[in-house]
Amino acid sequence: MSDTTRIPPCSAHAIELEAGDELVVIDPEGQQVSDLTAFSREDVREYLSSGRSIDYASRMFLTTGDLLYSNRSRPMFEIVEDTCGRHDFTLTPCSKDTFSIIYGETEGRPGCEGNLAEALAPHGIEVDDIPIAFNVFMHVDVDSASGVIRVLPPKSGPGDFVRLRALMPLIVGMTACSAGQSNNFRYKPIDYRIIRAAEADA
Amino acid sequence: MSDTTRIPPCSAHAIELEAGDELVVIDPEGQQVSDLTAFSREDVREYLSSGRSIDYASRMFLTTGDLLYSNRSRPMFEIVEDTCGRHDFTLTPCSKDTFSIIYGETEGRPGCEGNLAEALAPHGIEVDDIPIAFNVFMHVDVDSASGVIRVLPPKSGPGDFVRLRALMPLIVGMTACSAGQSNNFRYKPIDYRIIRAAEADA
């Protein structure tokens, strides 16, 4: 197993996985969100698709045993372990414009979108290519009647994690989220570990 | 006002709008869905974004008065009239793979995704560019606790419509939906009218 790597608050990392590798996304302090997005290394126009994944699971909230599909309807990940159980897959990564429109902020912080774009640029992925993310640990309440959504503090406590098995060669971007609503206005780090398939088989 | 144009069952049309033009999407027989997607004519990498629109409205179900945003957080449409009141903005257009995975179909029907790709190809838009659609009249029930979704017959009756005002020059693709669950397994046409801004001002 690799060492644990830390994503500092309000930033993003990009990594590469082979089919069979496992990625463990960890909330080290509790109540923090990681926006995770993935692209096929064979063709970055194939990306992790919320709409396909929700449709095929017939469920908005995905957890252990669920598959995360690409826009081309191919499984990209299986969720093999999930100690939190509540994540969001409906909202786009926060951005400079999100902060302006929702929070009235004027500082121009890049947000998860800007941080993902910077981390993914060396892989040929541009800001317009960043879709709705799998927002690990993000807690979005939905009212069935009105459709009103509320972004609540994550249900994750210190050490909660999600373990994802890659089902194809992937480029993965993930953040320590920059949006106050998502993490109860306490911007924290996110940790991750990679378990390489070769090592797991050994 | 333009004549009414009919989209035959299980097919798609693409149109161009100027800023200020209005598009009326009509369910002529009731209980039919139209998957609608839009792209900026200035740069087709700017597209109608469910994640941005839901985030900024803080509501899953959008209706009269709501804005539909692009991935670049610019308003593309305003919903100016809506006689149905229930639409979906979470699922991707049905496709050959959807029919295989969800329904076990083997005929290889193109679905809304394939039909949109064919209609939008002359505008330089490819199948990988087709995002989650604004699924007009689609009725997706969401259980708040479990997140389980159910695709129910649309609430639209004969003649129900949505009137959208374009807020930038747009290419719009829209379908008469090919997925049985979406239209109670009775594949029907969709109608639309365009009200040009110049005409509305006259």
Side-chain angles (χ1 to χ4, degrees):
Chain A
M1 190 179 301
S2 76
D3 292 339
T4 298
T5 303
R6 175 149 292 191
I7 306 174
C10 301
S11 69
H13 282 193
I15 60 164
E16 295 196 352
L17 299 175
E18 304 297 335
D21 288 352
E22 292 186 353
L23 171 65
V24 186
V25 183
I26 306 156
D27 184 354
E29 301 180 13
Q31 295 200 339
Q32 175 57 309
V33 165
S34 180
D35 289 20
L36 185 149
T37 185
F39 302 84
S40 166
R41 272 165 46 205
E42 292 165 4
D43 182 351
V44 297
R45 290 171 58 81
E46 182 168 14
Y47 62 87
L48 182 60
S49 167
S50 58
R52 294 262 169 253
S53 302
I54 290 170
D55 203 2
Y56 300 155
S58 289
R59 203 166 352 92
M60 286 267 175
F61 314 140
L62 304 186
T63 185
T64 306
D66 285 322
L67 296 173
L68 305 185
Y69 283 87
S70 77
N71 58 317
R72 296 181 187 171
S73 293
R74 298 199 305 161
M76 287 191 138
F77 279 120
E78 180 186 351
I79 306 179
V80 288
E81 195 172 2
D82 177 8
T83 67
C84 174
R86 184 61 177 260
H87 317 283
D88 172 71
F89 210 177
T90 59
L91 301 182
T92 23
C94 58
S95 70
K96 181 168 67 67
D97 295 311
T98 309
F99 298 141
S100 166
I101 291 170
I102 296 187
Y103 301 82
E105 281 188 18
T106 55
E107 302 99 292
R109 296 192 296 137
C112 286
E113 184 182 74
N115 291 330
L116 285 168
E118 186 180 352
L120 291 164
H123 300 276
I125 295 160
E126 299 179 2
V127 66
D128 284 322
D129 302 324
I130 296 172
I132 291 170
F134 183 56
N135 300 306
V136 181
F137 310 122
M138 189 175 185
H139 182 191
V140 178
D141 180 72
V142 184
D143 183 87
S144 293
S146 65
V148 166
I149 62 170
R150 291 181 306 153
V151 180
L152 301 176
K155 292 188 169 187
S156 48
D160 270 329
F161 66 87
V162 172
R163 187 158 57 93
L164 302 165
R165 182 176 296 133
L167 302 175
M168 64 173 74
L170 293 172
I171 301 155
V172 180
M174 55 193 153
T175 72
C177 184
S178 304
Q181 277 187 330
S182 297
N183 52 41
N184 210 10
F185 294 90
R186 293 165 62 200
Y187 309 93
K188 300 173 187 171
I190 285 287
D191 287 349
Y192 64 93
R193 280 198 305 271
I194 299 169
I195 306 166
R196 297 291 175 188
E199 176 187 357
D201 292 343
Chain B
M1 193 180 300
S2 75
D3 291 340
T4 297
T5 303
R6 174 149 293 192
I7 306 174
C10 301
S11 68
H13 282 192
I15 60 163
E16 295 195 354
L17 299 175
E18 303 297 335
D21 288 352
E22 293 186 353
L23 170 65
V24 186
V25 183
I26 306 157
D27 184 354
E29 300 180 13
Q31 293 199 340
Q32 176 56 308
V33 165
S34 180
D35 289 18
L36 185 148
T37 183
F39 302 83
S40 166
R41 275 168 44 209
E42 291 164 5
D43 181 352
V44 297
R45 291 173 55 83
E46 182 168 14
Y47 62 87
L48 183 60
S49 167
S50 59
R52 294 262 170 252
S53 301
I54 291 170
D55 203 3
Y56 299 155
S58 289
R59 202 167 351 92
M60 286 268 175
F61 315 139
L62 304 187
T63 185
T64 307
D66 285 323
L67 296 173
L68 305 184
Y69 282 86
S70 77
N71 58 318
R72 297 181 187 172
S73 293
R74 298 198 307 160
M76 287 191 138
F77 280 119
E78 180 184 351
I79 306 178
V80 288
E81 196 172 2
D82 176 9
T83 69
C84 174
R86 184 62 178 257
H87 317 285
D88 172 69
F89 210 175
T90 59
L91 301 182
T92 21
C94 58
S95 70
K96 182 167 67 62
D97 295 311
T98 309
F99 298 142
S100 167
I101 291 170
I102 296 188
Y103 299 85
E105 282 189 18
T106 55
E107 301 102 292
R109 298 191 297 135
C112 286
E113 184 182 74
N115 291 328
L116 284 168
E118 185 180 353
L120 291 165
H123 300 276
I125 295 159
E126 300 180 1
V127 66
D128 284 322
D129 301 324
I130 296 172
I132 292 170
F134 184 57
N135 300 306
V136 181
F137 310 124
M138 187 173 189
H139 181 190
V140 178
D141 180 71
V142 184
D143 183 88
S144 292
S146 66
V148 166
I149 62 170
R150 294 181 304 153
V151 179
L152 301 176
K155 293 189 168 185
S156 49
D160 270 329
F161 66 87
V162 172
R163 185 157 58 91
L164 302 166
R165 181 176 297 134
L167 303 175
M168 64 173 75
L170 294 172
I171 300 155
V172 181
M174 54 193 155
T175 72
C177 184
S178 303
Q181 277 187 333
S182 297
N183 51 43
N184 209 9
F185 294 91
R186 292 166 63 201
Y187 308 92
K188 300 173 187 171
I190 285 287
D191 288 348
Y192 64 93
R193 281 199 305 273
I194 299 168
I195 306 166
R196 297 292 176 188
E199 178 188 356
D201 292 343

